[in-house]
Amino acid sequence: MQVKEIPAEGITYDQLKIEKIPLSDEYIERDPSLVPAANRAVVINPCRTCMPLGAMFATLGVHKAIPFVQGAQGCTTYVRYTFCRIFKEPAAIANASFHEDTAVFGGWKNFIQGIRNLVVRYWPELIGVVTTCASEIIGDDMVSYIKAAKKKLAEELGEEKAAAVKIVLISTPSFAGSHVVGYDRAARAFVETLAVEKTAPNNKVNIIPGMLNPGDIREIKHLLKVMGIDSIILFDIADVFDTPLRPPATIPYYPKGGTPVADIADMANSLGTVALCPHEGGLGARYLERKFGLRAVVGPPPVGVRHTDMFLQNLSELTGRPVPEELLDERGRLLDFMADTFHHTMMKKVAVFGDPDIVVGVTRFVCELGMEPVAVLSGTPSKTFPQEIENIVREYNFAPQVFNGSDLFEFEEYLKKTRVDLILGNSKGVDIARELEVPLVRVGLFVYDRVGYQKRPVVGYRGGEFLLADIVNSLLDYKYPDDRTQQL
Amino acid sequence: MRYPAENGCQAARVCTKAGRAMRLPACGSPTVPGVITSRACPYYGARWLLAPVKETLHLVHGPVGCAYYGQTVRRKSYRILSTALDEKDVVFGGDTKLVRAVREALRLFPDARAVFVYGCCVAGLTGADLAGICRLATRATGRTVVPVSCAGFGGASQGDGHDLAADVLVRFLVGRTSPAAPASYTVNLLGEFDVAGDLQEIKMLLNQLGVSVLCTFTGEASVTSLGYAHAAALNLVHCQRTGGSLAEAMTKAFGTPALKVNFFGFAATAASLRAVAAHFGREEAAEQIIRAAETRVEPVLAELRRHLAGRRVGLYFGGSRVGSMAAAYRELGMEVVWAGAQFGQQEDYAAAWPDVADGGVLLDDARQFEIEKFLCQAQPDLFVGGVRERFLAYKYGVPFTVFPQEGKPYAGFTGFINFAQDIWRAVASPVWRLVHSQ
């Protein structure tokens, strides 16, 4: 049987059937002067959300901690819904339930009452107070509110019980940045509030992982264990957003995991801090460096061979431990996998979008696979992102279009006019991939339309293997007839 | 079941059914802070109603987060536009940015016939003149620009957003064009969102009666169909919470009569069909449809009833579904031991009351703590609710079905089989036996 050759050029846009949410059946050429996000006031299909989500994510990564959102109910409900959809896990987040009277009189009453109501039901060990656009605009003085709330708790429940509940303030006015910034600020707020004193050295390494998935955190823990390094992971969401089904006999339900409060206090005594994602946790690492002189290693996210090498190198330098044989084997296995599959990946054109750090990591990895990034988008605007991408692509002689803080509308319009074989990004890219008829490899935080992605790593050598398998299988599923895939 | 007292709590939000005297939970009051409520904000409610309207653009005037979350409604993704207000805009005001955004949006998507502008918390607090700007924009662009002032703090729950959205639909879009001919055997469906094909099922039944649907609010609504919706002979209200105020407003403005219907459950569907048929004088056709459905559906239902009879179920819906759905579970022989809604109304609980088992609990705006207590101590055979309750129920080893549902229609006669089968699937999954076998 003669197998028909697959067109090497891919499918150009004019050959595609256009099928989307559209206002009309036909593709309409958009006003080119308004396509770049920088030229317009309106944002279309944003690729970032607002600060409080990052702060809530971080707070949930602390053992027996509940975020308390000083804002309207939607700020909490939407975020709980988002976490539930991504991780398929419950997420308890309390809210100050702002109503019209709050907008007039301020959120004092709501806060004091709310903290008390939360404590008598859940007895959390820590409450992360997350502010919102509303509370910041009406000018709630959260520092004095927290003092008053603590006093009220002590009066009602006694000093001892009140003192057992730590309260951390994370100031996150929604209009001042994206969820990435929210996590960054939370990292700093937690170490600033809890790690106040340097006592005896603990020989541990602090890791601030950023907004990675539970599978990634487990992989980081695996690498540290093989290296023989003790660590404190702030915010350890591994056993919060990926927990066993073992019905508890009592309420309330708390996941087993999360960084213990005592460990965060102990972070001042560590050897140094590694922030895997510069935009998500860099502030925390730099704060510890300034305050306690702990060496801060900020980035790069350990996705792909070189970045994981650098991560292990940094750990090695911090602790004086060599990289063991076992990890060299893991590295070798990834390289072997890359050799087995490069004929599928070489010279394929890819587009990457998402949060800045994961995009930098993935861009490095696809370059290592011989793929050519043609468009790279960070939803969150960043001062360093274009330079970080530039450093990678210069090494491989590519020149992708870099979108810094742009939206998915511009990204889509750009991709319609250029050839691309594969898109890497989160579930918000489904519509684009479907319209362009190219595969989407799901990577990053907001993956909610498929299952299991939160359990699997993309970091480390083993994570690289998972990601590579995904990339190659997606290409095969899309472009190869069945009888050819049998002959691999 | 007893729950800890709350600071400043409204009275009797929770009540237990005992004996024949009807006692209903107090509802409609704002949530107490710090209790982990499932309620959302008016913006959420407005999106719930307005997102599916076709031929329109949806512009969220607020920080980018509101738009990001509001892009997904009932698990469907829609195009969303935002002014993405930043610090500068908050200090100096975002009005000029909004005007620019509307103009640009209409240049990029020239065939949009209307623009919804949602004003979020920031717009509400900085005092943006939404209505004024939209009036100006309408004049300047020739397209209807609809202000939706849905600041998150502006109401007790998403229910206020539903009312708000219904209000702007009637004020700005309904009845704007006149249809070619008066439509005598036509209806509008109010409060029906075409979740997983529900609408197709309902339309099929109505078509068999010889009645066609002019416009569905808002599962299948466009600027065009909203424009001639006032010509319908009858409004059918499927969801009281989202459709009720709409029906009232349309009766007032156009004199369209309204009829409450419910297509969830066999008996309810039959009763609704009979009511519609009576209005149009098509009683015979209705009886025929119901008889045919009975012979087709009943054997399957009898089998499912055998599996499900006597099982205890807890219900936690958004608004008025608690009233209309409780009977459907009873029809399957299940025992409703706990029934609640995030923002129910007295009449919803009154409708649910007869179907709640003696000793069962009715409650409004359940806190997560109360849900956990119920799941842990009562160990029901099934819990029904939204996505946020779903994974909590699983943690306690309790089977769960999600509503609004995924995948298949629940409405109509065939839908009722889907509904019952989904329950049986959830209850019968081997995973629960494995969980409890340790």
Side-chain angles (χ1 to χ4, degrees):
Chain A
M1 199 191 98
Q2 200 196 346
V3 177
K4 215 172 159 205
E5 188 54 56
I6 308 300
E9 294 299 309
I11 308 168
T12 54
Y13 186 74
D14 49 39
Q15 291 171 277
L16 299 181
K17 186 170 152 272
I18 297 146
E19 181 184 25
K20 253 196 70 176
I21 4 177
L23 297 163
S24 78
D25 298 338
E26 308 280 317
Y27 169 59
I28 300 162
E29 175 82 39
R30 306 294 174 201
D31 185 340
S33 65
L34 282 180
V35 167
N39 292 356
R40 52 186 151 87
V42 65
V43 170
I44 307 168
N45 298 343
C47 184
R48 62 171 189 275
T49 178
C50 56
M51 268 208 236
L53 181 134
M56 288 181 238
F57 183 97
T59 306
L60 287 169
V62 175
H63 185 61
K64 284 190 88 171
I66 296 182
F68 183 95
V69 179
Q70 180 78 351
Q73 281 160 187
C75 299
T76 308
T77 304
Y78 271 126
V79 173
R80 288 178 69 199
Y81 177 55
T82 306
F83 287 154
C84 287
R85 284 213 302 170
I86 297 172
F87 301 111
K88 322 279 184 239
E89 293 284 340
I93 303 174
N95 184 275
S97 293
F98 274 24
H99 300 303
E100 244 146 18
D101 55 337
T102 322
V104 180
F105 302 115
W108 191 85
K109 202 174 113 209
N110 296 52
F111 185 77
I112 308 293
Q113 230 180 57
I115 292 287
R116 182 260 170 206
N117 281 338
L118 180 64
V119 170
V120 298
R121 272 177 191 69
Y122 284 87
W123 300 105
E125 285 178 13
L126 184 142
I127 297 172
V129 176
V130 180
T131 64
T132 61
C133 44
S135 76
E136 297 279 350
I137 290 176
I138 59 181
D140 280 348
D141 175 10
M142 294 315 293
V143 176
S144 71
Y145 287 12
I146 288 176
K147 266 190 208 140
K150 280 183 175 159
K151 207 172 133 210
K152 158 112 180 159
L153 283 182
E155 279 165 16
E156 197 181 327
L157 310 168
E159 291 287 344
E160 197 183 326
K161 277 184 172 169
V165 185
K166 298 270 179 295
I167 299 181
V168 175
L169 170 65
I170 312 150
S171 170
T172 51
S174 318
F175 44 78
S178 77
H179 58 290
V180 169
V181 184
Y183 184 98
D184 211 21
R185 286 195 177 192
R188 188 195 151 121
F190 271 86
V191 291
E192 211 176 340
T193 315
L194 299 173
V196 284
E197 201 186 358
K198 199 167 181 168
T199 48
N202 60 15
N203 260 346
K204 289 180 180 172
V205 174
N206 300 329
I207 306 274
I208 306 181
M211 296 172 83
L212 299 176
N213 279 317
D216 294 314
I217 308 286
R218 291 198 209 285
E219 183 62 23
I220 298 290
K221 284 183 183 168
H222 159 78
L223 293 174
L224 290 163
K225 194 174 166 197
V226 175
M227 292 272 290
I229 297 171
D230 283 337
S231 66
I232 299 169
I233 296 183
L234 179 77
F235 307 95
D236 181 2
I237 48 102
D239 290 303
V240 173
F241 285 143
D242 182 22
T243 63
L245 201 177
R246 298 173 66 185
T250 53
I251 57 169
Y253 167 77
Y254 275 111
K256 233 188 228 169
T259 316
V261 174
D263 278 14
I264 305 177
D266 195 27
M267 282 175 83
N269 301 317
S270 298
L271 294 166
T273 312
V274 183
L276 302 182
C277 298
H279 298 87
E280 301 165 5
L283 274 185
R286 294 209 181 87
Y287 172 81
L288 287 170
E289 184 171 51
R290 262 201 320 278
K291 177 95 196 230
F292 301 110
L294 308 186
R295 210 185 123 195
V297 180
V298 178
V303 183
V305 183
R306 276 297 297 141
H307 278 175
T308 309
D309 290 351
M310 283 158 82
F311 173 59
L312 297 179
Q313 196 70 44
N314 290 332
L315 286 179
S316 196
E317 275 170 30
L318 272 177
T319 60
R321 286 173 186 274
V323 178
E325 197 65 13
E326 190 181 336
L327 291 182
L328 295 179
D329 275 347
E330 276 185 18
R331 183 179 196 271
R333 276 199 294 274
L334 175 58
L335 292 179
D336 183 61
F337 196 15
M338 287 162 70
D340 293 343
T341 53
F342 72 85
H343 55 291
H344 292 302
T345 56
M346 275 303 283
M347 294 182 209
K348 290 284 189 298
K349 292 176 188 294
V350 297
V352 190
F353 73 92
D355 296 341
D357 300 305
I358 197 77
V359 168
V360 167
V362 169
T363 304
R364 163 74 74 177
F365 188 46
V366 295
C367 286
E368 287 170 347
L369 297 174
M371 302 174 107
E372 180 190 347
V374 291
V376 181
L377 177 141
S378 157
T380 302
S382 149
K383 285 195 184 106
T384 54
F385 176 75
Q387 192 53 49
E388 285 170 49
I389 293 291
E390 175 60 25
N391 292 345
I392 296 166
V393 294
R394 199 190 310 128
E395 201 179 305
Y396 290 89
N397 240 335
F398 294 131
Q401 181 77 27
V402 178
F403 301 97
N404 188 11
S406 179
D407 56 19
L408 290 176
F409 174 77
E410 183 185 7
F411 194 59
E412 179 177 342
E413 292 300 313
Y414 179 78
L415 292 184
K416 279 174 179 171
K417 304 223 159 123
T418 163
R419 202 197 107 199
V420 62
D421 297 299
L422 183 74
I423 300 175
L424 289 118
N426 56 44
S427 297
K428 291 268 176 191
V430 168
D431 288 334
I432 302 176
R434 213 166 275 163
E435 178 144 337
L436 297 171
E437 296 193 348
V438 294
L440 170 73
V441 170
R442 289 166 178 80
V443 55
L445 178 66
F446 298 98
V447 177
Y448 43 74
D449 63 336
R450 291 290 183 272
V451 296
Y453 280 79
Q454 79 277 29
K455 291 174 183 281
R456 249 174 11 176
V458 295
V459 302
Y461 301 122
R462 298 197 302 191
E465 286 184 277
F466 281 121
L467 187 54
L468 175 53
D470 246 15
I471 290 173
V472 174
N473 288 334
S474 301
L475 288 169
L476 290 177
D477 281 346
Y478 246 75
K479 294 221 155 176
Y480 281 70
D482 285 345
D483 50 352
R484 286 244 322 243
T485 52
Q486 302 302 317
Q487 297 163 16
L488 294 171
Chain B
M1 216 169 270
R2 294 183 65 83
Y3 299 111
E6 280 163 5
N7 239 359
C9 170
Q10 66 271 43
R13 196 178 39 77
V14 185
C15 62
T16 308
K17 179 171 173 176
R20 312 188 87 197
M22 190 190 276
R23 277 177 52 222
L24 299 176
C27 41
S29 41
T31 307
V32 173
V35 291
I36 313 197
T37 170
S38 305
R39 282 183 176 177
C41 62
Y43 166 69
Y44 181 106
R47 281 296 292 159
W48 188 263
L49 232 86
L50 298 178
V53 180
K54 293 187 190 73
E55 303 172 325
T56 59
L57 294 174
H58 298 258
L59 174 63
V60 183
H61 188 42
V64 76
C66 297
Y68 186 86
Y69 301 126
Q71 186 168 22
T72 313
V73 180
R74 287 179 292 268
R75 295 184 211 93
K76 233 187 239 170
S77 185
Y78 298 90
R79 174 190 290 136
I80 194 98
L81 284 69
S82 172
T83 47
L85 298 179
D86 57 28
E87 265 172 317
K88 264 203 317 278
D89 304 318
V90 170
V91 178
F92 300 110
D95 290 5
T96 44
K97 198 173 187 183
L98 176 59
V99 174
R100 246 186 87 193
V102 173
R103 264 212 212 111
E104 288 167 356
L106 285 168
R107 262 172 72 199
L108 280 168
F109 307 103
D111 38 6
R113 299 185 50 199
V115 183
F116 289 109
V117 177
Y118 301 83
C120 292
C121 288
V122 173
L125 288 168
T126 55
D129 178 16
L130 219 56
I133 292 169
C134 289
R135 233 182 351 259
L136 285 178
T138 305
R139 222 173 297 152
T141 60
R143 252 72 62 90
T144 317
V145 183
V146 184
V148 190
S149 300
C150 49
F153 54 82
S157 69
Q158 58 264 57
D160 296 276
H162 295 334
D163 294 344
L164 225 127
D167 177 57
V168 297
L169 280 179
V170 175
R171 272 200 307 160
F172 289 90
L173 295 171
V174 176
R176 285 304 151 120
T177 51
S178 30
S184 44
Y185 286 100
T186 53
V187 293
N188 291 320
L189 272 168
L190 311 185
E192 167 54 44
F193 300 98
D194 196 16
V195 176
D198 273 349
L199 180 58
Q200 262 50 49
E201 205 59 40
I202 297 170
K203 266 186 169 175
M204 194 192 69
L205 290 172
L206 292 173
N207 286 344
Q208 285 174 356
L209 272 185
V211 174
S212 60
V213 177
L214 258 195
C215 178
T216 304
F217 292 69
T218 54
E220 202 176 58
S222 60
V223 176
T224 315
S225 68
L226 287 168
Y228 55 66
H230 63 301
L234 182 65
N235 278 337
L236 301 182
V237 182
H238 197 207
C239 168
Q240 178 62 27
R241 195 63 184 85
T242 47
S245 56
L246 205 54
E248 260 170 51
M250 282 182 75
T251 309
K252 217 164 116 195
F254 310 107
T256 322
L259 181 67
K260 240 174 116 173
V261 291
N262 174 18
F263 290 99
F264 295 115
F266 193 99
T269 307
S272 301
L273 278 181
R274 285 195 180 108
V276 177
H279 188 271
F280 289 106
R282 293 277 167 88
E283 287 88 347
E284 195 42 49
E287 291 312 319
Q288 243 174 14
I289 300 169
I290 294 165
R291 265 199 307 279
E294 211 154 11
T295 38
R296 188 166 49 88
V297 170
E298 196 48 47
V300 188
L301 279 183
E303 172 77 19
L304 284 162
R305 235 177 248 133
R306 233 193 351 269
H307 293 310
L308 296 176
R311 290 184 193 263
R312 292 152 54 249
V313 57
L315 308 176
Y316 191 52
F317 292 113
S320 50
R321 284 284 179 245
V322 66
S324 51
M325 297 288 283
Y329 293 89
R330 261 275 295 272
E331 242 185 311
L332 295 172
M334 299 178 82
E335 218 180 301
V336 180
V337 291
W338 201 87
Q342 291 171 24
F343 52 101
Q345 292 169 319
Q346 286 287 311
E347 52 181 313
D348 304 325
Y349 293 110
W353 174 266
D355 296 304
V356 175
D358 205 39
V361 175
L362 280 113
L363 78 175
D364 189 59
D365 186 23
R367 292 83 169 84
Q368 173 156 312
F369 194 79
E370 292 162 355
I371 297 173
E372 281 188 54
K373 195 159 182 177
F374 170 67
L375 291 169
C376 184
Q377 295 179 357
Q379 280 288 321
D381 298 304
L382 181 74
F383 195 65
V384 183
V387 173
R388 286 182 300 280
E389 291 83 40
R390 180 185 199 162
F391 302 106
L392 192 66
Y394 290 161
K395 282 287 170 275
Y396 286 99
V398 173
F400 189 90
T401 53
V402 68
F403 195 91
Q405 77 277 17
E406 295 164 337
K408 280 164 288 173
Y410 279 2
F413 298 115
T414 323
F416 190 45
I417 297 185
N418 290 334
F419 169 78
Q421 270 174 346
D422 271 0
I423 295 174
W424 177 228
R425 262 186 214 113
V427 171
S429 167
V431 68
W432 310 123
R433 248 175 300 145
L434 294 169
V435 165
H436 294 294
S437 71
Q438 259 203 329

